[in-house]
């Protein structure tokens, strides 16, 4: 246990960095994912095709490969930046596909009558989506969205293998390999770090689900 | 009725799992033409590690699989590099031919465990000798003194050595968990260090301008300089002294003495120089001599 | 529907829009290709070993890549089988335990659920040898994957059993079966049909996660690529290839999940009432099928 206490600074910084990554990636993927979801249900075939292609690629490609392309492919194309942002971008791209599917399931859960009524009143596609469908869809989408966000927090560990230093997974890798410290305390410390984020998030998600549950 | 169908599917799945578990193993590496001499009819005192290995006609050596010029696995499965040549030399001294050597991947973090758990007979894997490791294993050798150095892009004139890293806020790249990565932390702030799993990713990052410096053992860096068509260069002198040793079970003095003798013999007969020329010697003109061997305790 | 069927004017607009988008994407693609060519990324020496059978390294590359992929598949199949076993046991235990005893199962489940899979795999590979359990790398990967996925599958099983009509468990109780017997003989067999699409989707997740074996240096495909690029010096090309292969395999398995679900939501010849598919859990999302009427 001394090992954790001695390195508590490293753990704390690692936790903060992980939270930072998750915050940016969370916001980014929620926005991007919702946009892609609107592509997928739009009346415009090219947009639908783009949305479907996006989801097919990013849902089926391992995150490790996506991150590799962000970290090494983008610089080849002349796009430079700190690896932190490449890591966040990779996470956003990957998670957006799952957010899209969650939002789409929410849209599909909105009763048909709502969309029909919106059309009957004369709202355009964009208006009916913005005013009527999406607000209701997002309520239904909260459970799967919450799970996607928690999964993203855990996936942030992989970002550590692609040049992003200082977050929880890198902390553990450093302490165990280079300094040869005892494994079990170090790993328990890192596990605790992730659980501090995911367990309260899971509990909050459950509470949110119950409050927002739509009884049909 | 439906339950039976489920059971049948389940059994099929389990059978598939067993079948797949049987195949898909990676093939062990082979060897190339020129090899160190294999001692014929060597006799060892019974009970010693040497006798055990010689009688088994097989030796398990731990080495790196992803370290350019020292221990690297090529596409065909063959292992090349200075470390692997040293390993084959010692195997030869025990009367074991190179194709009877079983290579085990020994990443930095697991070298001590592999030796302690007896999964390998010795480890030759860019293994720096230090006192902390001496508490868990014993070392024969050293067989080579490496030095950490810095590699930058050819047009970079601001970086001259490790002390210039912090003031210039240079972005430095190395490999996760390696000794060079730990050593360089003394000279930079944590935010300046980027680590990847293999060195070639660091070289790519340097090429595209994502990092300014790559740091590791100077011979490995020379390999990248040679491949870079003039894009990279080394700066400054080596600023650490890393004696590479051969890790063996703690307290095995007889084995340590034997290995040291084998190394001395290889240096005298030119096998050591040959091993260097075939591997690291391809990228550098420097020709190291076998360093003064530590005494076995 | 969110929009009416397109009339002639809209159809023309759609065609114009499609052409414009197509040209735009084409221009973007050309820009990217030009950039890559300038960097020498389209050179023969980088693509040769991948696509040119006459290249001396072609056979070695694909043979070893194939072997590495088999390692992925092997890990995925084993992890799936073990997760299903363990997951079902966990779900059944959790349902069968009295309320006050459930935390003994739920607590470890939540622990492994909150842990990133990477950490679980790393944990397994470093701690088990310390405790004297010595296994080939494959099993550390499988154990790490199983620890996480068995919890997910337990949730799928629970949702599957919960989605069955109440009448089934009531009838089982009326006939005198205990809870455990009811589960085994009546509920689980029906639940499996319902769970199948979600289970197949989870297989996709597991297969993707086998790529995490690279952190413990297991010889699977992504790790193989990392080593191969040291010799071939074509990281972009190789990672693109392995990415495409993963996408293809996972896409096909995903289609299988959708097909299974479609076949199951239509009444069978025996006239069984259409079952509601199990609620999607977390990443195990099937490509947005809408339940009739919401």
């Amino acid at each position: 246990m001394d090992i954790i206490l001695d390195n508590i600074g490293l753990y704390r910084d690692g936790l903060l960095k992980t939270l930072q990554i998750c915050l940016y990636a969370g916001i980014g993927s929620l926005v991007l994912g919702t946009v892609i979801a609107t592509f997928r249900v739009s009346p415009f075939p090219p947009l639908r095709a783009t949305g479907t292609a996006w989801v097919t690629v990013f849902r089926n490609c391992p995150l490790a490969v996506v991150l590799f392309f962000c970290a090494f492919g983008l610089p080849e194309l002349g796009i430079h930046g700190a690896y932190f942002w490449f890591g966040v971008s990779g996470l956003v791209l990957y998670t957006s596909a799952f957010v899209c599917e969650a939002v789409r399931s929410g849209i599909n859960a909105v009763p048909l009558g709502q969309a029909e009524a919106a059309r009957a009143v004369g709202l355009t596609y964009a208006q009916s989506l913005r005013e009527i469908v999406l607000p209701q869809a997002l309520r239904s989408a909260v459970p799967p969205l919450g799970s996607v966000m928690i999964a993203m927090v855990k996936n942030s560990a992989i970002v550590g293998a692609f040049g992003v230093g200082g977050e929880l997974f890198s902390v553990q890798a450093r302490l165990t390999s280079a300094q040869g410290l005892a494994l079990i305390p170090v790993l328990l410390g890192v596990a605790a770090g992730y659980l501090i984020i995911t367990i309260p998030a899971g509990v909050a998600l459950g509470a949110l689900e119950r409050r927002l549950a739509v009884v049909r | 009725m439906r339950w039976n169908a489920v059971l049948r599917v389940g059994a099929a799945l389990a059978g598939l799992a067993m079948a797949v578990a049987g195949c898909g193993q990676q093939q062990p590496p082979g060897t190339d033409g020129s090899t160190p001499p294999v001692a014929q009819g060597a006799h060892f005192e019974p009970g010693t590690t040497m006798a055990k290995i010689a009688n088994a006609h097989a030796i398990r050596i731990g080495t790196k699989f992803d370290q350019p010029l020292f221990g690297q696995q090529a596409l065909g499965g063959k292992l090349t590099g200075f470390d692997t040549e040293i390993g084959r030399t010692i195997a030869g001294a025990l009367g074991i031919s190179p194709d009877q050597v079983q290579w085990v991947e020994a990443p930095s973090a697991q070298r001590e465990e592999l030796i302690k758990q007896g999964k390998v007979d010795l480890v030759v894997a860019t293994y720096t000798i230090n006192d902390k490791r001496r508490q868990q294993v014993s070392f024969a050798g050293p067989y080579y003194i490496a030095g950490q150095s810095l590699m930058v892009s050819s047009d970079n004139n601001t970086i001259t050595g490790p002390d210039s890293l912090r003031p210039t806020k240079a972005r430095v790249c190395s490999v996760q968990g390696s000794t060079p990565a730990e050593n360089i932390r003394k000279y930079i702030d944590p935010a300046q260090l980027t680590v990847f799993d293999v060195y070639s990713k660091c070289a790519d990052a340097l090429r595209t301008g994502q990092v300014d410096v790559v740091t590791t053992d100077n011979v490995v860096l020379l390999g990248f300089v040679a491949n870079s068509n003039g894009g990279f260069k080394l700066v400054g002198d080596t600023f650490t002294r890393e004696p590479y040793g051969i890790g063996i079970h703690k307290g095995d003095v007889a084995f340590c003495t034997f290995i040291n003798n084998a190394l001395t013999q290889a240096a005298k007969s030119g096998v050591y120089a040959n091993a260097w020329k075939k591997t690291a010697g391809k990228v550098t003109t420097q020709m190291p001599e076998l360093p003064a061997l530590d005494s076995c305790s | 529907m969110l929009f009416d069927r397109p009339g002639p004017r809209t159809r023309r607009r759609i065609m114009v829009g499609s052409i414009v988008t197509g040209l735009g994407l084409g221009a973007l693609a050309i820009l990217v290709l030009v950039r890559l060519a300038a960097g020498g990324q389209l050179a023969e020496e980088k693509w040769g070993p991948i696509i040119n059978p006459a290249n001396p390294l072609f056979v070695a590359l694909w043979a070893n890549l194939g072997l590495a992929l088999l390692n992925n598949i092997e890990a995925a199949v084993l992890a799936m089988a073990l997760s299903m076993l363990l997951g079902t046991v966990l779900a059944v235990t959790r349902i069968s335990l009295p309320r006050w005893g459930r935390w003994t199962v739920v607590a470890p489940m939540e622990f492994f659920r909150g842990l990133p899979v990477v950490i679980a795999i790393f944990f397994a590979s470093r701690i088990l040898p310390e405790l004297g359990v010595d296994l080939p790398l494959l099993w550390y990967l499988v154990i790490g994957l199983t620890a996480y996925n068995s919890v997910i599958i337990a949730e799928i099983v629970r949702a599957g059993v919960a989605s069955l009509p109440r009448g089934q468990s009531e009838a089982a109780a009326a006939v005198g079966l205990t809870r455990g017997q009811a589960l085994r003989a009546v509920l689980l067999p029906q639940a499996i049909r319902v769970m199948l699409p979600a289970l197949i989707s989870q297989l996709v997740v597991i297969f993707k996660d086998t790529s995490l074996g690279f952190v413990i240096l297991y010889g699977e495909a992504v790790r193989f690529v990392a080593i191969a690029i040291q010799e071939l010096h074509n990281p972009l090309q190789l990672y693109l290839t392995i990415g495409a292969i993963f996408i293809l395999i996972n896409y096909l398995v995903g289609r299988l999940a959708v097909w299974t679900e479609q076949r199951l939501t239509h009444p069978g010849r025996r006239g069984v009432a259409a079952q509601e598919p199990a609620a999607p859990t977390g990443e195990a999302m099937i490509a947005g099928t809408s339940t009739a009427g919401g």
Side-chain angles (χ1 to χ4, degrees), chain C residues 2 4 26 33 66 93 95 99 110 112 151 166 185 189 202-203 227 240 254 276 278 287:
Chain C
L2 286 165
D4 299 329
L33 284 174
T93 316
I95 300 178
R99 244 166 220 274
E110 287 304 306
F112 282 107
V151 175
R166 242 28 201 341
Q202 196 58 25
L203 186 59
I227 293 185
L240 185 68
E276 293 255 299

Side-chain angles (χ1 to χ4, degrees), chain A residues 76-78, chain C residues 23-39 42:
Chain A
E76 290 281 342
L77 294 176
Chain C
L23 287 174
L25 284 176
L28 190 62
I30 292 179
L31 196 66
V32 167
L33 284 174
V34 164
R35 224 18 183 317
L36 290 177
L42 297 180

Side-chain angles (χ1 to χ4, degrees), chain B residues 24-234:
Chain B
Q25 306 298 320
Q26 270 210 314
Q27 305 304 312
T31 56
D32 72 340
S34 62
T35 52
V38 179
Q40 305 295 332
H43 180 73
F44 304 105
E45 235 179 80
T48 56
T49 319
M50 295 85 79
K52 198 161 49 97
I53 298 174
N55 291 336
H57 295 295
I59 185 172
R60 294 157 306 163
I61 304 184
T63 186
K64 296 270 180 75
F65 279 23
D66 56 9
Q67 199 85 311
L69 301 175
F70 282 90
Q72 188 175 317
Q73 188 174 42
L75 260 191
K78 189 178 73 175
L79 275 175
T80 59
F82 188 54
D83 284 347
T84 60
E85 289 302 310
I86 297 284
R88 291 187 182 112
T89 306
I90 298 174
L94 285 165
I96 299 179
S97 71
D99 44 330
Q100 283 170 317
V101 174
Q102 286 166 31
W103 299 100
V104 176
E105 185 167 10
S108 299
Q110 293 167 29
R111 291 176 293 203
E112 289 85 29
E113 285 162 38
L114 285 171
I115 296 174
K116 282 197 297 192
Q117 290 162 6
K119 293 207 207 141
V120 292
D121 298 307
L122 56 98
V123 168
V124 51
T126 60
Y127 205 179
T128 309
I129 302 177
N130 68 33
D131 291 324
K132 190 149 72 116
R133 290 177 178 156
R134 273 220 163 91
Q135 289 168 0
Q136 304 195 58
V137 299
S138 285
F139 285 100
Y143 60 92
Y144 175 68
I145 311 280
Q148 188 169 345
S149 188
L150 303 177
M151 175 169 78
V152 300
S153 168
S154 299
D155 48 12
N156 185 319
N157 294 317
T158 52
I159 307 215
T160 53
D163 298 313
S164 61
L165 291 175
R166 215 190 287 265
T168 54
K169 294 211 192 312
R171 295 161 302 169
V172 180
C173 184
S174 192
V175 157
Q176 184 110 0
S178 62
T179 315
E182 276 312 298
N183 289 344
I184 204 70
R185 280 182 204 272
K186 291 197 277 279
Y187 298 92
I188 55 176
D189 296 323
Q192 291 173 263
L193 182 65
T194 303
V195 289
F196 290 117
D197 53 338
V198 289
Y199 284 112
S200 65
K201 287 186 181 166
C202 275
D204 273 328
L206 182 61
R207 184 171 48 84
T208 55
Q210 280 288 118
V211 299
D212 304 304
V213 181
V214 177
T215 181
T216 178
D217 169 48
N218 62 340
V219 174
V220 175
L221 290 177
L222 281 173
F224 284 114
V225 170
N227 273 327
S228 69
N229 287 338
F232 300 151
K233 65 178 183 189
L234 290 190

